[in-house]
């Protein structure tokens, strides 16, 4: 039977690759999903007849545009802008904007595709989308970032809206960028609406939104550990990245009794065997969010090791949280993690593990929470921000955090429902893919051929 499924997966992928050549990250994301979905679809022919899978991999709409802006020297700069409106079967398109020089169509399509299933898993009514630009905010002045954001939003504003498409942040898009983008939308449309999430607290933002992805990935790790009667208390945790997701994962792990020993950026990683406690994390937040400096400066300040050009996966740990970017854990690194006793991987980033690394986790029966489940807390609280905007009310920190925790528990339960293996362990990849798929697929069936 396995061979029949392999053949179906290969045939499906051959068509996806032929239709979307050179979009390698998109192929990778689709392959990981169809591998687990095709056996399920074979048992549920209504999805097969309606070609739901073939429709899921085709965006409803792709918007590609020019973003001209003037730098501080008065020189004209031109970037590419994108918005992928992937699937609106269960709600308005929802997903972040990424500003990074590596951004291209294939990367955004992989992210948008993952987002559809992730948003469905949250139990909230949100479709999937993703967007961004090859603009690099690193090294730019605040003025340049503002000019870029204003030009980007001048075009994007024609395509989004609180009931149509609601972008948020991602790599390179934090509170500063969301502010500039929101200001320009309001100016062009003369409307104060919840068109973006991740807004400032004084102008429609939600408490806990900045924390949500990192907190959620930590809650998910705790839920996975509970299935083995264990918890994060006393665990040594390796985290990559030092941006939004990494910072708040570090905060929550520490609050729950774990010890975070690494953080990284694209230049290298720091190893602090004494643990990155609340006070040291305050410094990281200042360093990264205000000074916009490099993580190597942490090692100088707190007199610990810094490893230039390396990732933190060679460090001994119980739990790994890849929180930086796609494909940042490869097969050899996964093997090293297992050899060093690591038995939990909770992904704050999107698709941070290569397919070969995932095979290592699965073979070792690790507690492996894939990004679309483990990092769904961010978009879940974005959904709660949309609800608060519609109600014109703000919920308390405790209320939003309690809802986030409950959503992460529900996502975990959904993964268990669809991912239980015969030996009693849980395949969270299968669980998340099927759990996310069913609601979207049934909604697509109900809405006819659209
Ligand atoms: P930030 O821009 O705040 O931080 C990104 C971090 O990752 C930085 O430390 C950055 O280092 C590092 N990084 C980025 N690109 C690379 C690279 N190519 N190689 C090595 N390190 C890199 O982004 P976020 O924290 O928001 O996002 C991190 C991940 O989490 C992404 O995969 C994102 O898609 C995912 N995610 C984010 C959500 C959110 O709510 N923000 C929601 C769900 C998922 P440097 O400063 O050197 O670039």
């Amino acid at each position: 039977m396995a061979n029949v499924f392999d053949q179906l997966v290969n045939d499906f992928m051959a068509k996806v690759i032929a239709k979307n050549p050179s979009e390698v990250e998109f192929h990778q994301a689709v392959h990981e999903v169809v591998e687990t979905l095709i056996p399920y679809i074979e048992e549920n022919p209504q999805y097969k007849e309606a070609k739901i899978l073939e429709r899921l991999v085709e965006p409803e709409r792709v918007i590609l545009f020019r973003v001209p802006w003037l730098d501080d020297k008065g020189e004209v700069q031109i970037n590419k802008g994108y918005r992928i409106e992937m699937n609106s079967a269960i709600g308005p398109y929802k997903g972040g904007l990424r500003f990074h020089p590596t951004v291209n169509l294939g990367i955004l399509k992989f992210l948008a595709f993952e987002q559809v299933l992730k948003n469905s898993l949250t139990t909230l009514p949100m479709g999937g989308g993703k967007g961004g630009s090859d603009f690099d905010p690193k090294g730019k002045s605040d003025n340049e970032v503002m000019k870029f954001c204003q030009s980007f939003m001048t075009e994007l504003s024609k395509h989004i809206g609180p009931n149509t498409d609601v972008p948020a942040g991602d790599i390179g898009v934090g509170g500063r960028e969301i502010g500039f983008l929101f200001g320009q939308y309001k100016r062009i449309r003369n409307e104060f609406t919840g068109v973006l999430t991740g807004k400032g607290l004084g102008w429609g933002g939600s408490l806990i939104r900045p924390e949500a992805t990192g907190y959620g990935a930590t809650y998910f790790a705790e839920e996975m550990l509970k299935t083995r009667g264990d918890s994060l208390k006393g665990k040594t945790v390796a985290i990559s990245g030092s941006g939004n997701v990494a910072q708040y994962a570090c905060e929550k792990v520490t609050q729950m009794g774990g010890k975070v020993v690494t953080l990284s950026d694209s230049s290298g990683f720091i190893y602090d065997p004494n643990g990155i406690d609340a006070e040291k994390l305050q410094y990281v937040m200042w360093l990264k969010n205000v000074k916009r400096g490099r993580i190597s400066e942490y090692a100088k300040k707190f007199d610990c090791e810094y490893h230039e050009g390396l990732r933190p996966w060679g460090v001994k740990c119980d739990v790994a949280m890849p929180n930086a970017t796609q494909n940042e854990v490869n097969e050899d690194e996964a093997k090293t993690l297992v050899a060093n006793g690591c038995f939990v991987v909770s992904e704050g980033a999107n698709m941070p593990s290569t397919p070969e690394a995932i095979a290592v986790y699965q073979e070792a029966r690790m507690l492996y929470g894939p990004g679309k489940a483990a990092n769904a807390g961010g978009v879940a609280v974005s959904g709660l921000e949309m609800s608060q905007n519609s109600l014109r009310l703000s919920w308390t920190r405790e209320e939003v955090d309690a809802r986030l925790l409950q959503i992460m528990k529900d996502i975990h339960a959904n993964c268990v429902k669809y991912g239980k293996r015969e030996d009693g362990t849980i395949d969270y990849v299968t669980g998340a893919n099927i759990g996310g798929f069913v609601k979207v697929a049934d909604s697509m069936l109900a809405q006819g051929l659209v």
Side-chain angles (χ1 to χ4, degrees), residues 375-403:
N375 72 36
V379 72
V381 175
S382 276
L384 300 179
E385 182 173 330
M386 289 165 72
S387 303
Q388 292 170 79
N389 290 164
S390 299
L391 293 167
R392 301 199 188 282
L393 285 175
S394 300
W395 296 331
T396 63
R397 194 179 163 83
E398 291 69 32
E399 181 159 6
V400 181
D401 197 23
R403 285 178 190 255

PDB file of all heavy atoms in Angstrom, residues 375-403:
ATOM      1  N   ASN A 375       3.623  26.957  16.134  1.00  0.00           N
ATOM      2  CA  ASN A 375       3.725  28.426  16.126  1.00  0.00           C
ATOM      3  C   ASN A 375       2.410  29.129  15.775  1.00  0.00           C
ATOM      4  O   ASN A 375       2.392  30.333  15.495  1.00  0.00           O
ATOM      5  CB  ASN A 375       4.887  28.903  15.237  1.00  0.00           C
ATOM      6  CG  ASN A 375       4.641  28.739  13.744  1.00  0.00           C
ATOM      7  OD1 ASN A 375       3.523  28.905  13.263  1.00  0.00           O
ATOM      8  ND2 ASN A 375       5.695  28.441  13.004  1.00  0.00           N
ATOM      9  N   ALA A 376       1.304  28.376  15.840  1.00  0.00           N
ATOM     10  CA  ALA A 376       0.006  28.960  15.463  1.00  0.00           C
ATOM     11  C   ALA A 376      -0.511  29.972  16.484  1.00  0.00           C
ATOM     12  O   ALA A 376      -1.505  30.664  16.229  1.00  0.00           O
ATOM     13  CB  ALA A 376      -1.024  27.848  15.265  1.00  0.00           C
ATOM     14  N   GLY A 377       0.138  30.077  17.630  1.00  0.00           N
ATOM     15  CA  GLY A 377      -0.309  31.023  18.656  1.00  0.00           C
ATOM     16  C   GLY A 377      -0.269  32.470  18.175  1.00  0.00           C
ATOM     17  O   GLY A 377      -1.091  33.289  18.595  1.00  0.00           O
ATOM     18  N   GLY A 378       0.689  32.783  17.293  1.00  0.00           N
ATOM     19  CA  GLY A 378       0.812  34.157  16.792  1.00  0.00           C
ATOM     20  C   GLY A 378      -0.420  34.563  16.010  1.00  0.00           C
ATOM     21  O   GLY A 378      -1.067  35.580  16.295  1.00  0.00           O
ATOM     22  N   VAL A 379      -0.778  33.720  15.034  1.00  0.00           N
ATOM     23  CA  VAL A 379      -1.938  34.089  14.219  1.00  0.00           C
ATOM     24  C   VAL A 379      -3.225  33.942  15.029  1.00  0.00           C
ATOM     25  O   VAL A 379      -4.200  34.656  14.796  1.00  0.00           O
ATOM     26  CB  VAL A 379      -1.959  33.289  12.894  1.00  0.00           C
ATOM     27  CG1 VAL A 379      -2.313  31.827  13.099  1.00  0.00           C
ATOM     28  CG2 VAL A 379      -2.931  33.926  11.904  1.00  0.00           C
ATOM     29  N   ALA A 380      -3.220  33.052  16.017  1.00  0.00           N
ATOM     30  CA  ALA A 380      -4.420  32.907  16.855  1.00  0.00           C
ATOM     31  C   ALA A 380      -4.699  34.228  17.588  1.00  0.00           C
ATOM     32  O   ALA A 380      -5.839  34.720  17.593  1.00  0.00           O
ATOM     33  CB  ALA A 380      -4.234  31.765  17.852  1.00  0.00           C
ATOM     34  N   VAL A 381      -3.649  34.814  18.169  1.00  0.00           N
ATOM     35  CA  VAL A 381      -3.893  36.085  18.874  1.00  0.00           C
ATOM     36  C   VAL A 381      -4.148  37.214  17.873  1.00  0.00           C
ATOM     37  O   VAL A 381      -4.882  38.160  18.173  1.00  0.00           O
ATOM     38  CB  VAL A 381      -2.772  36.396  19.887  1.00  0.00           C
ATOM     39  CG1 VAL A 381      -2.973  37.767  20.515  1.00  0.00           C
ATOM     40  CG2 VAL A 381      -2.757  35.328  20.983  1.00  0.00           C
ATOM     41  N   SER A 382      -3.624  37.100  16.661  1.00  0.00           N
ATOM     42  CA  SER A 382      -4.025  38.053  15.618  1.00  0.00           C
ATOM     43  C   SER A 382      -5.531  37.949  15.385  1.00  0.00           C
ATOM     44  O   SER A 382      -6.221  38.955  15.207  1.00  0.00           O
ATOM     45  CB  SER A 382      -3.298  37.768  14.300  1.00  0.00           C
ATOM     46  OG  SER A 382      -2.029  38.379  14.285  1.00  0.00           O
ATOM     47  N   GLY A 383      -6.037  36.719  15.379  1.00  0.00           N
ATOM     48  CA  GLY A 383      -7.489  36.508  15.232  1.00  0.00           C
ATOM     49  C   GLY A 383      -8.235  37.143  16.394  1.00  0.00           C
ATOM     50  O   GLY A 383      -9.291  37.757  16.201  1.00  0.00           O
ATOM     51  N   LEU A 384      -7.675  37.031  17.586  1.00  0.00           N
ATOM     52  CA  LEU A 384      -8.320  37.651  18.753  1.00  0.00           C
ATOM     53  C   LEU A 384      -8.244  39.184  18.661  1.00  0.00           C
ATOM     54  O   LEU A 384      -9.159  39.886  19.096  1.00  0.00           O
ATOM     55  CB  LEU A 384      -7.665  37.160  20.051  1.00  0.00           C
ATOM     56  CG  LEU A 384      -7.707  35.646  20.310  1.00  0.00           C
ATOM     57  CD1 LEU A 384      -7.002  35.298  21.622  1.00  0.00           C
ATOM     58  CD2 LEU A 384      -9.145  35.127  20.328  1.00  0.00           C
ATOM     59  N   GLU A 385      -7.154  39.684  18.072  1.00  0.00           N
ATOM     60  CA  GLU A 385      -7.055  41.143  17.859  1.00  0.00           C
ATOM     61  C   GLU A 385      -8.162  41.595  16.894  1.00  0.00           C
ATOM     62  O   GLU A 385      -8.804  42.633  17.107  1.00  0.00           O
ATOM     63  CB  GLU A 385      -5.669  41.503  17.309  1.00  0.00           C
ATOM     64  CG  GLU A 385      -5.447  42.999  17.107  1.00  0.00           C
ATOM     65  CD  GLU A 385      -4.005  43.352  16.727  1.00  0.00           C
ATOM     66  OE1 GLU A 385      -3.065  42.631  17.126  1.00  0.00           O
ATOM     67  OE2 GLU A 385      -3.805  44.370  16.016  1.00  0.00           O
ATOM     68  N   MET A 386      -8.416  40.809  15.846  1.00  0.00           N
ATOM     69  CA  MET A 386      -9.488  41.150  14.894  1.00  0.00           C
ATOM     70  C   MET A 386     -10.845  41.177  15.605  1.00  0.00           C
ATOM     71  O   MET A 386     -11.662  42.065  15.378  1.00  0.00           O
ATOM     72  CB  MET A 386      -9.524  40.140  13.743  1.00  0.00           C
ATOM     73  CG  MET A 386      -8.350  40.268  12.796  1.00  0.00           C
ATOM     74  SD  MET A 386      -8.155  38.831  11.706  1.00  0.00           S
ATOM     75  CE  MET A 386      -9.522  39.025  10.583  1.00  0.00           C
ATOM     76  N   SER A 387     -11.063  40.184  16.484  1.00  0.00           N
ATOM     77  CA  SER A 387     -12.341  40.150  17.210  1.00  0.00           C
ATOM     78  C   SER A 387     -12.493  41.386  18.085  1.00  0.00           C
ATOM     79  O   SER A 387     -13.558  42.008  18.118  1.00  0.00           O
ATOM     80  CB  SER A 387     -12.416  38.917  18.113  1.00  0.00           C
ATOM     81  OG  SER A 387     -12.231  37.761  17.364  1.00  0.00           O
ATOM     82  N   GLN A 388     -11.426  41.748  18.792  1.00  0.00           N
ATOM     83  CA  GLN A 388     -11.495  42.923  19.674  1.00  0.00           C
ATOM     84  C   GLN A 388     -11.739  44.187  18.860  1.00  0.00           C
ATOM     85  O   GLN A 388     -12.504  45.068  19.262  1.00  0.00           O
ATOM     86  CB  GLN A 388     -10.199  43.053  20.497  1.00  0.00           C
ATOM     87  CG  GLN A 388     -10.026  41.935  21.511  1.00  0.00           C
ATOM     88  CD  GLN A 388      -8.626  41.937  22.135  1.00  0.00           C
ATOM     89  OE1 GLN A 388      -8.334  42.726  23.032  1.00  0.00           O
ATOM     90  NE2 GLN A 388      -7.765  41.067  21.653  1.00  0.00           N
ATOM     91  N   ASN A 389     -11.106  44.284  17.681  1.00  0.00           N
ATOM     92  CA  ASN A 389     -11.322  45.454  16.817  1.00  0.00           C
ATOM     93  C   ASN A 389     -12.779  45.526  16.374  1.00  0.00           C
ATOM     94  O   ASN A 389     -13.379  46.605  16.347  1.00  0.00           O
ATOM     95  CB  ASN A 389     -10.413  45.402  15.585  1.00  0.00           C
ATOM     96  CG  ASN A 389      -8.933  45.612  15.896  1.00  0.00           C
ATOM     97  OD1 ASN A 389      -8.078  45.316  15.084  1.00  0.00           O
ATOM     98  ND2 ASN A 389      -8.608  46.095  17.081  1.00  0.00           N
ATOM     99  N   SER A 390     -13.350  44.372  16.027  1.00  0.00           N
ATOM    100  CA  SER A 390     -14.749  44.370  15.574  1.00  0.00           C
ATOM    101  C   SER A 390     -15.682  44.762  16.710  1.00  0.00           C
ATOM    102  O   SER A 390     -16.665  45.468  16.507  1.00  0.00           O
ATOM    103  CB  SER A 390     -15.148  42.983  15.066  1.00  0.00           C
ATOM    104  OG  SER A 390     -14.346  42.644  13.977  1.00  0.00           O
ATOM    105  N   LEU A 391     -15.359  44.289  17.924  1.00  0.00           N
ATOM    106  CA  LEU A 391     -16.192  44.608  19.091  1.00  0.00           C
ATOM    107  C   LEU A 391     -15.924  46.006  19.629  1.00  0.00           C
ATOM    108  O   LEU A 391     -16.666  46.512  20.464  1.00  0.00           O
ATOM    109  CB  LEU A 391     -15.897  43.614  20.230  1.00  0.00           C
ATOM    110  CG  LEU A 391     -16.296  42.155  20.022  1.00  0.00           C
ATOM    111  CD1 LEU A 391     -15.648  41.265  21.075  1.00  0.00           C
ATOM    112  CD2 LEU A 391     -17.800  42.004  20.094  1.00  0.00           C
ATOM    113  N   ARG A 392     -14.812  46.612  19.184  1.00  0.00           N
ATOM    114  CA  ARG A 392     -14.312  47.877  19.741  1.00  0.00           C
ATOM    115  C   ARG A 392     -14.137  47.772  21.259  1.00  0.00           C
ATOM    116  O   ARG A 392     -14.558  48.625  22.023  1.00  0.00           O
ATOM    117  CB  ARG A 392     -15.210  49.053  19.365  1.00  0.00           C
ATOM    118  CG  ARG A 392     -15.332  49.232  17.856  1.00  0.00           C
ATOM    119  CD  ARG A 392     -15.801  50.602  17.456  1.00  0.00           C
ATOM    120  NE  ARG A 392     -16.075  50.677  16.029  1.00  0.00           N
ATOM    121  CZ  ARG A 392     -15.143  50.800  15.084  1.00  0.00           C
ATOM    122  NH1 ARG A 392     -13.873  50.879  15.401  1.00  0.00           N
ATOM    123  NH2 ARG A 392     -15.490  50.854  13.814  1.00  0.00           N
ATOM    124  N   LEU A 393     -13.519  46.673  21.653  1.00  0.00           N
ATOM    125  CA  LEU A 393     -13.230  46.398  23.069  1.00  0.00           C
ATOM    126  C   LEU A 393     -11.813  45.877  23.181  1.00  0.00           C
ATOM    127  O   LEU A 393     -11.272  45.331  22.214  1.00  0.00           O
ATOM    128  CB  LEU A 393     -14.160  45.292  23.584  1.00  0.00           C
ATOM    129  CG  LEU A 393     -15.618  45.623  23.876  1.00  0.00           C
ATOM    130  CD1 LEU A 393     -16.364  44.354  24.259  1.00  0.00           C
ATOM    131  CD2 LEU A 393     -15.710  46.638  25.015  1.00  0.00           C
ATOM    132  N   SER A 394     -11.213  46.002  24.373  1.00  0.00           N
ATOM    133  CA  SER A 394      -9.894  45.389  24.599  1.00  0.00           C
ATOM    134  C   SER A 394     -10.001  44.419  25.756  1.00  0.00           C
ATOM    135  O   SER A 394     -10.523  44.770  26.810  1.00  0.00           O
ATOM    136  CB  SER A 394      -8.866  46.455  24.980  1.00  0.00           C
ATOM    137  OG  SER A 394      -8.750  47.386  23.960  1.00  0.00           O
ATOM    138  N   TRP A 395      -9.521  43.214  25.560  1.00  0.00           N
ATOM    139  CA  TRP A 395      -9.510  42.229  26.632  1.00  0.00           C
ATOM    140  C   TRP A 395      -8.238  42.386  27.460  1.00  0.00           C
ATOM    141  O   TRP A 395      -7.218  42.897  26.982  1.00  0.00           O
ATOM    142  CB  TRP A 395      -9.589  40.815  26.035  1.00  0.00           C
ATOM    143  CG  TRP A 395     -10.871  40.566  25.301  1.00  0.00           C
ATOM    144  CD1 TRP A 395     -12.080  41.142  25.565  1.00  0.00           C
ATOM    145  CD2 TRP A 395     -11.075  39.705  24.167  1.00  0.00           C
ATOM    146  NE1 TRP A 395     -13.032  40.671  24.669  1.00  0.00           N
ATOM    147  CE2 TRP A 395     -12.444  39.791  23.817  1.00  0.00           C
ATOM    148  CE3 TRP A 395     -10.252  38.855  23.428  1.00  0.00           C
ATOM    149  CZ2 TRP A 395     -12.992  39.072  22.753  1.00  0.00           C
ATOM    150  CZ3 TRP A 395     -10.796  38.139  22.377  1.00  0.00           C
ATOM    151  CH2 TRP A 395     -12.149  38.247  22.046  1.00  0.00           C
ATOM    152  N   THR A 396      -8.275  41.899  28.692  1.00  0.00           N
ATOM    153  CA  THR A 396      -7.105  42.017  29.564  1.00  0.00           C
ATOM    154  C   THR A 396      -6.025  41.035  29.136  1.00  0.00           C
ATOM    155  O   THR A 396      -6.284  40.059  28.412  1.00  0.00           O
ATOM    156  CB  THR A 396      -7.474  41.689  31.025  1.00  0.00           C
ATOM    157  OG1 THR A 396      -7.901  40.313  31.061  1.00  0.00           O
ATOM    158  CG2 THR A 396      -8.569  42.594  31.556  1.00  0.00           C
ATOM    159  N   ARG A 397      -4.836  41.294  29.648  1.00  0.00           N
ATOM    160  CA  ARG A 397      -3.692  40.416  29.392  1.00  0.00           C
ATOM    161  C   ARG A 397      -4.016  38.975  29.801  1.00  0.00           C
ATOM    162  O   ARG A 397      -3.746  38.028  29.062  1.00  0.00           O
ATOM    163  CB  ARG A 397      -2.534  40.980  30.237  1.00  0.00           C
ATOM    164  CG  ARG A 397      -1.206  40.453  29.887  1.00  0.00           C
ATOM    165  CD  ARG A 397      -0.104  41.065  30.748  1.00  0.00           C
ATOM    166  NE  ARG A 397       1.051  40.210  30.607  1.00  0.00           N
ATOM    167  CZ  ARG A 397       1.906  40.285  29.606  1.00  0.00           C
ATOM    168  NH1 ARG A 397       1.790  41.208  28.691  1.00  0.00           N
ATOM    169  NH2 ARG A 397       2.903  39.427  29.504  1.00  0.00           N
ATOM    170  N   GLU A 398      -4.620  38.845  30.976  1.00  0.00           N
ATOM    171  CA  GLU A 398      -4.930  37.503  31.500  1.00  0.00           C
ATOM    172  C   GLU A 398      -5.930  36.799  30.590  1.00  0.00           C
ATOM    173  O   GLU A 398      -5.804  35.609  30.322  1.00  0.00           O
ATOM    174  CB  GLU A 398      -5.524  37.583  32.918  1.00  0.00           C
ATOM    175  CG  GLU A 398      -4.555  38.031  34.005  1.00  0.00           C
ATOM    176  CD  GLU A 398      -4.131  39.490  33.883  1.00  0.00           C
ATOM    177  OE1 GLU A 398      -4.944  40.323  33.405  1.00  0.00           O
ATOM    178  OE2 GLU A 398      -2.974  39.822  34.237  1.00  0.00           O
ATOM    179  N   GLU A 399      -6.910  37.561  30.111  1.00  0.00           N
ATOM    180  CA  GLU A 399      -7.941  36.953  29.270  1.00  0.00           C
ATOM    181  C   GLU A 399      -7.354  36.460  27.948  1.00  0.00           C
ATOM    182  O   GLU A 399      -7.624  35.341  27.494  1.00  0.00           O
ATOM    183  CB  GLU A 399      -9.067  37.965  29.010  1.00  0.00           C
ATOM    184  CG  GLU A 399     -10.156  37.357  28.169  1.00  0.00           C
ATOM    185  CD  GLU A 399     -11.492  38.077  28.272  1.00  0.00           C
ATOM    186  OE1 GLU A 399     -11.569  39.134  28.919  1.00  0.00           O
ATOM    187  OE2 GLU A 399     -12.458  37.554  27.676  1.00  0.00           O
ATOM    188  N   VAL A 400      -6.525  37.306  27.322  1.00  0.00           N
ATOM    189  CA  VAL A 400      -5.944  36.898  26.030  1.00  0.00           C
ATOM    190  C   VAL A 400      -4.994  35.718  26.240  1.00  0.00           C
ATOM    191  O   VAL A 400      -5.006  34.740  25.467  1.00  0.00           O
ATOM    192  CB  VAL A 400      -5.213  38.080  25.351  1.00  0.00           C
ATOM    193  CG1 VAL A 400      -4.649  37.635  24.003  1.00  0.00           C
ATOM    194  CG2 VAL A 400      -6.148  39.265  25.151  1.00  0.00           C
ATOM    195  N   ASP A 401      -4.203  35.772  27.296  1.00  0.00           N
ATOM    196  CA  ASP A 401      -3.252  34.681  27.552  1.00  0.00           C
ATOM    197  C   ASP A 401      -3.996  33.365  27.811  1.00  0.00           C
ATOM    198  O   ASP A 401      -3.588  32.300  27.323  1.00  0.00           O
ATOM    199  CB  ASP A 401      -2.348  35.047  28.742  1.00  0.00           C
ATOM    200  CG  ASP A 401      -1.101  34.186  28.804  1.00  0.00           C
ATOM    201  OD1 ASP A 401      -0.703  33.630  27.756  1.00  0.00           O
ATOM    202  OD2 ASP A 401      -0.523  34.059  29.902  1.00  0.00           O
ATOM    203  N   ALA A 402      -5.108  33.456  28.555  1.00  0.00           N
ATOM    204  CA  ALA A 402      -5.886  32.243  28.841  1.00  0.00           C
ATOM    205  C   ALA A 402      -6.463  31.671  27.546  1.00  0.00           C
ATOM    206  O   ALA A 402      -6.478  30.458  27.325  1.00  0.00           O
ATOM    207  CB  ALA A 402      -7.012  32.559  29.827  1.00  0.00           C
ATOM    208  N   ARG A 403      -6.932  32.568  26.650  1.00  0.00           N
ATOM    209  CA  ARG A 403      -7.478  32.088  25.366  1.00  0.00           C
ATOM    210  C   ARG A 403      -6.373  31.456  24.528  1.00  0.00           C
ATOM    211  O   ARG A 403      -6.568  30.432  23.868  1.00  0.00           O
ATOM    212  CB  ARG A 403      -8.115  33.244  24.580  1.00  0.00           C
ATOM    213  CG  ARG A 403      -9.461  33.675  25.126  1.00  0.00           C
ATOM    214  CD  ARG A 403      -9.981  34.851  24.297  1.00  0.00           C
ATOM    215  NE  ARG A 403     -11.147  35.453  24.903  1.00  0.00           N
ATOM    216  CZ  ARG A 403     -12.390  35.305  24.472  1.00  0.00           C
ATOM    217  NH1 ARG A 403     -12.634  34.561  23.421  1.00  0.00           N
ATOM    218  NH2 ARG A 403     -13.387  35.915  25.079  1.00  0.00           N
TER     219      ARG A 403
END
